[in-house]
Amino acid sequence: MTAHPPTPLTTRESQKVAFHRSELNVILSLYGRMVAAGEWRDYGMSFLKDVAIFSVFRRTAEVPVYRIEKRPKLRLRQGQYCVIGMEGQVLKRGDDLKTVLRVLDRKLIRAVE
């Protein structure tokens, strides 16, 4: 048997936008805290040509409650990260993922009676 060299990625596969491991660590850390608080139940990820999307669900069969999007083409304009609500409204946009995700972290803070 002869060993074949690995095939390079096609141009179509290499053009997809994806989250980096450090970005996923930040997102999944928030996700874990929200699951522990009982706010979120499921998530889904989509990697498309222009955008990477992390969708958060309260229940599996629903529309996403929040979408965390990465659009590298907007990094020099409005910022490449944004959090979008259920009705499509942009809740926060910016270049720093941790700063953008603070809008969701505030949902964990509640007054204790």
Side-chain angles (χ1 to χ4, degrees):
M1 281 194 161
T2 59
H4 297 288
T7 56
L9 292 175
T10 62
T11 56
R12 184 175 170 185
E13 291 174 353
S14 63
Q15 290 179 354
K16 288 184 180 179
V17 176
F19 291 106
H20 189 267
R21 182 181 298 234
S22 60
E23 296 166 335
L24 277 176
N25 284 340
V26 172
I27 294 170
L28 290 174
S29 173
L30 172 65
Y31 176 77
R33 290 193 310 270
M34 294 299 250
V35 167
E39 295 290 320
W40 296 348
R41 301 258 190 280
D42 199 9
Y43 72 90
M45 291 190 282
S46 301
F47 304 109
L48 307 172
K49 180 181 174 188
D50 296 327
V51 62
I53 304 170
F54 186 94
S55 302
V56 177
F57 300 90
R58 216 167 268 172
R59 289 176 196 81
T60 306
E62 288 185 348
V63 295
V65 179
Y66 299 106
R67 289 188 333 250
I68 302 163
E69 294 187 356
K70 176 184 178 182
R71 294 181 184 265
K73 288 185 179 180
L74 295 179
R75 73 178 172 271
L76 298 176
R77 294 184 194 146
Q78 306 162 352
Q80 67 178 339
Y81 303 108
C82 71
V83 175
I84 300 174
M86 191 182 324
E87 283 115 30
Q89 71 274 25
V90 176
L91 302 178
K92 183 84 172 172
R93 186 183 301 261
D95 282 322
D96 183 37
L97 182 60
K98 289 182 181 181
T99 305
V100 172
L101 292 180
R102 277 191 211 145
V103 73
L104 299 177
D105 224 359
R106 290 186 187 131
K107 307 275 183 196
L108 275 176
I109 301 171
R110 295 183 183 157
V112 178
E113 296 178 12

